[in-house]
């Protein structure tokens, strides 16, 4: 067995690969051991996923949406207790409120003497750099293609041997193309809820698909809590996706055609 990134023998590799990190709520999109070798798996965790997940915008998202990491912890967030005490807020499970707040002792005194401070926690924040987002997408794009071909005989070999995929896998592995562009936009609010086929209200944590355009380009389309991120499999340009959007009324490929939302889920608030 060979790794879909470095193409080295991976038959002794032990780790499974999460296409989207567990710390973004992924428990289902997982590649079996050996599809990505242990060395590549570790490298991506340290050099691509960690800087992605630890950008302030992602820390804030993980806190507010209460997404536990693989140790079942939700990352804490720094905030402010009015009129100006720095605090750290913690939460433990999927609850609508903050679990615990670390406050400096002078703030505690202030709260007792007054009516209590107002807790201000940031929403949003600095996103990961374009380069990290792009490499994160490149990794997930190649892995999603592998996932599609897992059950096909020779499918993983096909991915490994496909020269057209070499630029995108090199970009994921080395980041050697400094400005491989991606397309980013919000397609629904991060708190949007949907009704599933059982009538339960659910949140769309992440969804993804591969878009093939009429003129033969392939794009990987990922949405994380309504933030749609797109990368081109074939090279460092994104014009083809803009063109596709113009021809499709700006709809998301995740929600039209075969992915028409109404067939699976409907928006709870519309
Ligand atoms: Zn590898």
């Amino acid at each position: 067995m060979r790794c879909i990134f470095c193409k080295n023998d991976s038959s002794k590799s032990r780790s499974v690969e999460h296409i989207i990190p567990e710390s973004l709520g992924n428990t289902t999109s997982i590649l079996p051991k050996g599809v990505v070798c242990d060395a590549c798996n570790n490298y991506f965790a340290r050099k691509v996923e960690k800087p992605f997940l630890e950008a302030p915008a992602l820390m804030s998202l993980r806190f507010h949406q209460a997404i536990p990491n693989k140790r079942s912890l939700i990352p804490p967030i720094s905030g402010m207790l009015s009129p100006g005490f720095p605090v750290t807020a913690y939460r433990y499970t999927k609850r609508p409120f903050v679990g615990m707040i670390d406050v400096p002792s002078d703030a505690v005194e202030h709260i007792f003497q007054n009516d209590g401070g107002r807790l201000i926690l940031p929403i949003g924040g600095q996103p990961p750099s374009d380069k990290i987002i792009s490499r994160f997408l490149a990794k997930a794009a190649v892995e999603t293609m592998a996932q599609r071909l897992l059950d096909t005989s020779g499918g993983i070999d096909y991915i490994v041997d496909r020269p057209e995929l070499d630029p995108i896998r090199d970009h994921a592995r080395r980041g050697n193309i400094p400005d491989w562009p991606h397309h980013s936009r919000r397609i629904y609010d991060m708190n949007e809820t949907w009704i599933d086929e059982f009538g339960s209200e659910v949140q769309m944590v992440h969804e993804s698909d591969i878009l093939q355009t009429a003129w033969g380009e392939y794009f990987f389309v990922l949405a994380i809590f309504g933030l749609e991120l797109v990368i081109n499999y074939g090279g460092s340009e994104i014009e083809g996706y803009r063109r596709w959007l113009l021809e499709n009324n700006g709809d998301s490929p995740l929600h039209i055609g075969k992915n028409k939302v109404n067939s699976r889920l409907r928006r709870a608030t519309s």
Side-chain angles (χ1 to χ4, degrees), residues 3 5-6 37 40:
C3 169
F5 288 100
C6 66
C37 76
C40 287

Side-chain angles (χ1 to χ4, degrees), residues 7 23 38 50 52 74 76 79 81 91 104 106 115 143 159 162 180 198 210 218 225 240 257 264:
K7 308 187 184 186
S23 300
D38 288 350
K50 188 167 188 280
F52 184 86
I74 296 162
L81 191 66
R91 61 192 302 182
D106 50 346
D115 289 337
E143 291 176 350
I159 300 275
R162 202 85 194 146
W180 189 305
F198 308 107
I210 298 169
Y218 288 87
F225 286 95
R264 295 180 298 152

Side-chain angles (χ1 to χ4, degrees), residues 33 45-46 51 55 71 131 134 150 155 206 225 241 246 253 270:
K33 60 185 183 183
R46 283 181 295 114
R71 294 192 303 278
K131 188 174 178 181
S134 174
L150 266 184
H206 60 89
F225 286 95
Y241 186 63
L246 281 175
S270 62

Side-chain angles (χ1 to χ4, degrees), residues 8 28 65 68 77 81 108 131 134 153 181 184 191 251:
N8 291 327
T28 52
Q65 298 296 339
I77 196 173
L81 191 66
V108 176
K131 188 174 178 181
S134 174
S153 156
S184 156
N191 293 312
D251 287 334

